[in-house]
């Protein structure tokens, strides 16, 4: 080894050892030592079993992290050993009073990290550890992606209540970020389906948190983008899965009509899924779904993951065009859950540099102002389609989008409507910044809030006008998290640095990938290199009970 990053003790017999440690930057080598008749342990032959790449290696390859379980440790014991190493790493930064960031191995955020060193590597926490069929729960590590999670639970006829639509979104990201889907009108954000979380606090202490155990931290860390501690394991709720989602496309002629139908459908407890798509100001569809094991006579079964299948949103538009009546189809459950995904979009977006020119925002508003907001985005940006997703709010205070509006009972928070705005913005950097700032101002004016996975241009004073800073800072102080980067530090865009980078483009390579169509072609190349499309092609959720 090049570096003695850990103290190693003499192994006894046929012992297993983990070296040099998860926090040294060289990766984690699991090896088996065979003692034989050797007298001095450094001379023992080492049989490598597998290597978890270091953060540097992950950054070089760009490959997505998949589960790897060593043969000599059961999953929970392996997990506990890795968490011990993470705890040691975190404690060292705490002692030195240095801030650090968490290296997950991959990300679906469009934000660029400004901290390139002081990384705590959690990329090996990528396993589903245990599924309890009787209790309908699963223990899962934070870097398990939605597609891997669904594959594991479907083997037992179970599925998470909230599954984010892009397969690469992770369990940890779903808790630490803001994540909702078409079932969130019923179940709320993803974190509301979690029973408990294992977390390494900023001083290295490993704790279990839940609504009943350190409940303030459990609720406060949800949506706080890792600024309270390092999530290392989650116990997630599951419920019964069925073969299909009976899906109905209800045509709407405008946002007023869409909002009316959304309110009606979200009050129907028999529905499992409700969302919508606006293709223009005058054309859209509200999409409702109900899980079922039976396909009704005359109802067509439709897939979306095969190479020659239609893209979901285009398929919906085709079904409602020149058809005023609802259209019903049966979509296999896995196909429904990942209906909006086609390949390595996020990999391509990051690699091409186009995330700096691409508006990728989820924006939650009260129903009362959603129509005015869509009118604004239509005139200011002209981006379509728009995704509409009704959201059940978290209890206040929270770092999730929030609206202090209550139902007539004075106790129940009113639902909000999320508007997914994803499309190209102005190509000039200054105009792009202005468009985003104008969007943020209009959102605030209408009582809305953005999800924090994307570009955030608010200055710090503006940012904290929307959140309860006294509560947030108090919670960080209580659990010793002030040595971690704050939520604002993690989500803000360094406009000056972006402008400088945009103006320099000092190499031909950087100029090319920021120029159409070369950036897109480079992004496609990186998406292919990531092999995400191969994983999608082999995904077992695609065949779940399809022939049963």
């Amino acid at each position: 080894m090049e570096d003695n990053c850990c103290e190693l003790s003499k192994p006894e017999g046929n012992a297993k050892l983990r070296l040099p440690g998860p926090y040294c930057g060289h990766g984690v080598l699991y090896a088996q030592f065979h003692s034989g008749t050797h007298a001095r342990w450094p001379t023992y032959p080492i049989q490598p079993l597998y290597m978890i790449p270091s953060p540097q290696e992950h950054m070089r390859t760009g490959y997505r992290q998949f589960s790897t379980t060593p043969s000599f440790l059961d999953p929970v014991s392996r997990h506990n050993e890795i968490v011990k190493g993470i705890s040691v790493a975190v404690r060292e930064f705490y002692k030195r009073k240095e801030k650090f960031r968490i290296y997950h191995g991959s990300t679906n955020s469009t934000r660029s990290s400004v901290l390139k060193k002081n990384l705590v590597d959690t990329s090996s926490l990528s396993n589903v550890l245990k599924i309890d069929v009787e209790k309908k729960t699963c223990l899962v590590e934070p870097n398990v992606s939605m597609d891997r999670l669904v594959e594991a639970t479907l083997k037992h006829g179970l599925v998470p209540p909230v599954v984010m639509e892009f397969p690469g979104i992770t369990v940890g990201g779903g808790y630490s970020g803001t994540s909702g889907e078409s079932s969130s009108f019923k179940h709320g954000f993803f974190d509301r389906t979690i029973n408990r979380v294992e977390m390494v606090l900023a001083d290295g202490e490993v704790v279990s948190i839940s609504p009943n155990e350190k409940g303030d931290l459990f609720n406060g860390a949800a949506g706080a983008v890792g600024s309270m501690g390092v999530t290392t394991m989650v116990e997630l709720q599951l419920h019964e899965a069925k073969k299909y989602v009976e899906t109905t496309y209800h045509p709407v002629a405008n946002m007023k009509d869409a909002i009316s139908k959304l309110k009606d459908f979200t009050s129907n407890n028999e529905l499992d899924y409700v969302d919508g798509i606006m293709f223009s100001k005058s054309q859209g569809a509200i999409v409702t779904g109900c899980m079922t094991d039976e396909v009704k006579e005359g109802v067509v079964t439709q897939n979306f993951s095969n190479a020659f299948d239609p893209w979901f949103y285009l398929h919906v538009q085709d079904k409602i065009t020149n058809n005023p009546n609802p259209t019903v189809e049966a979509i296999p459950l896995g196909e429904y859950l990942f209906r909006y995904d086609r390949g390595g979009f996020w990999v391509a977006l990051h690699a091409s540099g186009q995330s700096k020119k691409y508006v990728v925002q989820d924006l939650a508003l009260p129903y009362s102002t959603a129509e005015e907001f869509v009118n604004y985005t239509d005139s200011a940006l002209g981006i379509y389609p728009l995704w509409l997703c009704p959201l059940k709010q978290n209890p206040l205070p929270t770092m999730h989008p929030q609206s202090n509006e209550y139902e007539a009972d004075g106790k129940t928070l009113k639902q909000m409507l999320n508007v997914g705005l994803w499309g190209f913005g102005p190509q000039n950097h200054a105009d792009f910044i202005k468009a985003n700032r104008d969007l943020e101002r209009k959102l605030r004016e209408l009582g809305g809030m953005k999800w924090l996975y994307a570009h955030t241009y608010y200055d710090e004073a503006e940012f904290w006008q929307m959140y309860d800073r006294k509560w947030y800072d108090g919670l960080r102080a209580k659990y010793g998290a002030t040595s971690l980067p704050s939520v604002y530090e993690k989500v803000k865009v360094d406009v000056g640095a972006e402008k400088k980078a945009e103006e320099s483009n000092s190499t031909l390579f950087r100029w090319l990938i920021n120029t159409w169509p070369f950036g897109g072609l480079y992004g496609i190349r990186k998406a292919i290199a990531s092999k995400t499309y191969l994983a999608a092609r082999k995904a077992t959720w695609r065949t779940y009970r399809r022939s049963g």
Side-chain angles (χ1 to χ4, degrees):
M1 290 186 296
E2 296 177 1
D3 200 349
N4 293 322
C5 302
C6 299
E7 291 292 327
L8 303 178
S9 58
K10 177 179 178 179
E12 298 296 333
N14 192 26
K16 292 91 180 179
L17 196 62
R18 182 167 172 266
L19 69 153
Y23 51 91
C24 69
H26 293 284
V28 183
L29 176 64
Y30 287 84
Q32 187 163 0
F33 291 79
H34 302 278
S35 58
T37 58
H38 295 282
R40 296 176 58 83
W41 78 264
T43 65
Y44 292 178
I46 300 176
Q47 176 188 341
L49 296 181
Y50 71 92
M51 172 72 85
I52 295 174
S54 67
Q56 292 85 348
E57 177 66 10
H58 268 301
M59 290 176 182
R60 184 185 68 79
T61 62
Y63 286 0
R64 180 170 156 191
Q65 174 72 28
F66 291 101
S67 299
T68 49
T69 304
S71 59
F72 55 82
L73 287 177
D74 68 89
V76 174
S77 297
R78 170 194 176 276
H79 168 85
N80 291 338
E81 286 300 306
I82 294 174
V83 172
K84 285 180 185 178
I86 292 170
S87 173
V88 170
V90 170
R91 191 179 303 118
E92 287 302 311
F93 284 120
Y94 184 79
K95 289 178 181 178
R96 297 198 298 265
K97 297 182 179 181
E98 294 180 8
K99 293 186 176 183
F100 65 87
R101 284 186 182 263
I102 304 162
Y103 179 74
H104 306 282
S106 63
T107 180
N108 283 280
S109 170
T110 58
R111 292 181 277 106
S112 298
S113 174
V114 295
L115 187 61
K116 301 300 183 182
K117 59 181 182 178
N118 286 9
L119 296 176
V120 171
D121 184 5
T122 67
S123 60
S124 57
L125 294 177
S126 55
N127 294 280
V128 177
L129 301 176
K130 180 182 178 181
I131 296 176
D132 190 319
V133 176
E134 184 176 339
K135 293 181 179 179
K136 294 183 179 177
T137 61
C138 68
L139 287 179
V140 57
E141 292 178 323
N143 295 317
V144 172
S145 58
M146 287 296 106
D147 52 353
R148 300 286 86 83
L149 174 65
V150 167
E151 286 184 348
T153 62
L154 285 182
K155 292 177 183 178
H156 302 275
L158 300 170
V159 69
V162 177
V163 177
M164 285 73 84
E165 71 273 19
F166 294 117
I169 296 175
T170 63
V171 171
Y175 173 68
S176 299
T178 293
S179 297
E181 239 298 326
S182 58
S183 58
S184 291
F185 78 96
K186 179 178 285 189
H187 301 287
F189 291 109
F190 179 75
D191 61 274
R192 304 304 291 177
T193 68
I194 291 174
N195 290 333
R196 65 183 176 93
V197 172
E198 179 186 73
M199 180 176 288
V200 178
L201 300 182
D203 64 356
E205 181 185 2
V206 181
V207 298
S208 178
I209 60 177
S210 71
N212 300 317
E213 185 179 7
K214 296 182 173 61
D216 55 351
L217 180 59
F218 177 79
N219 292 319
V225 296
S227 62
M228 297 289 178
V230 183
T231 299
T232 53
M233 185 173 65
V234 164
E235 182 182 279
L236 189 64
Q237 300 166 18
L238 304 172
H239 63 191
E240 182 184 356
K242 296 190 177 181
K243 293 181 183 180
Y244 304 97
V245 176
E246 184 177 283
T247 309
T248 306
Y249 314 129
H250 306 266
V252 294
N254 49 53
M255 269 299 293
K256 184 176 181 180
D257 188 15
I259 290 170
S260 176
K261 280 186 167 58
L262 285 169
K263 288 181 176 180
D264 287 343
F265 291 134
T266 53
S267 64
N268 183 349
N269 289 328
E270 293 184 0
L271 292 173
D272 297 304
Y273 305 102
V274 177
D275 67 350
I277 309 171
M278 292 302 296
F279 301 100
S280 69
K281 284 185 69 174
S282 58
Q283 185 189 43
I286 303 305
V287 182
T288 59
C290 186
M291 287 197 293
T292 180
D293 282 324
E294 303 295 332
V295 178
K296 294 177 181 177
E297 185 177 351
V299 173
V300 175
T301 300
Q302 180 64 56
N303 299 317
F304 298 102
S305 64
N306 297 308
F308 296 102
D309 288 337
W311 289 45
F312 177 74
Y313 80 95
L314 294 174
H315 177 73
V316 174
Q317 186 175 28
D318 180 63
K319 291 298 179 183
I320 67 168
T321 298
N322 301 320
N323 180 12
N325 301 312
T327 299
V328 181
E329 293 182 325
I331 304 176
L333 177 59
E335 297 275 351
Y336 175 85
L337 295 175
F338 303 123
R339 63 203 179 280
Y340 289 109
D341 178 69
R342 291 291 269 215
F345 167 74
W346 297 104
V347 176
L349 190 63
H350 279 288
S352 67
Q354 296 305 308
S355 64
K356 297 175 183 177
K357 299 178 180 179
Y358 202 88
V359 177
V360 183
Q361 302 280 1
D362 277 283
L363 312 130
L365 299 101
Y367 273 103
S368 58
T369 60
E371 182 179 3
E372 183 178 349
F373 181 73
V374 170
N375 288 338
Y376 168 79
T377 62
D378 176 79
S379 60
L381 295 167
I383 291 174
Y384 287 98
L386 303 176
W387 181 53
L388 308 179
C389 183
L391 301 168
K392 183 179 180 180
Q393 289 198 64
N394 272 33
L396 302 177
T398 178
M399 291 306 298
H400 287 313
Q402 58 200 258
S403 173
N404 197 22
E405 293 186 0
Y406 289 84
E407 300 289 357
D409 62 9
K411 299 178 181 179
T412 306
L413 285 163
K414 288 186 176 181
Q415 291 199 358
M416 300 182 76
L417 180 61
N418 183 77
V419 178
L421 186 70
W422 312 319
F424 277 105
Q427 296 302 291
N428 177 271
H429 185 257
D431 292 340
F432 182 82
I433 299 296
K434 182 179 184 303
N436 275 276
R437 291 293 286 134
D438 291 345
L439 182 70
E440 290 176 342
R441 278 190 284 269
K442 189 64 176 181
L443 186 66
R444 284 190 61 204
E445 176 189 320
L446 297 176
M449 298 177 72
K450 68 198 304 183
W451 300 22
L452 298 178
Y453 70 81
H455 293 136
T456 298
Y457 295 91
Y458 298 112
D459 64 36
E460 192 164 11
E462 288 177 304
F463 182 85
W464 287 114
Q465 286 174 11
M466 298 180 290
Y467 297 97
D468 188 336
R469 185 168 192 173
K470 182 178 179 181
W471 160 77
Y472 174 82
D473 286 346
L475 196 59
R476 294 235 303 166
K478 179 178 177 179
Y479 291 101
T482 54
S483 61
L484 301 177
S486 72
V487 62
Y488 180 72
E489 288 177 299
K490 297 190 77 168
V491 305
K492 68 177 180 179
V493 171
D494 188 336
V495 176
E498 277 200 353
K499 183 179 180 181
K500 185 177 180 180
E502 182 78 13
E503 290 175 347
S504 64
N505 279 330
S506 56
T507 66
L508 177 61
F509 174 73
R510 295 308 308 172
W511 179 84
L512 282 172
I513 68 170
N514 280 284
T515 303
W516 186 91
F518 304 109
L521 294 172
Y522 178 70
I524 292 171
R525 176 179 177 274
K526 294 294 286 186
I528 293 171
S530 75
K531 301 187 185 298
T532 301
Y533 73 100
L534 291 176
R537 188 177 297 168
K538 297 176 182 178
T540 60
W541 56 258
R542 298 173 66 228
T543 56
Y544 172 67
R545 291 189 178 180
R546 192 172 292 179
S547 60

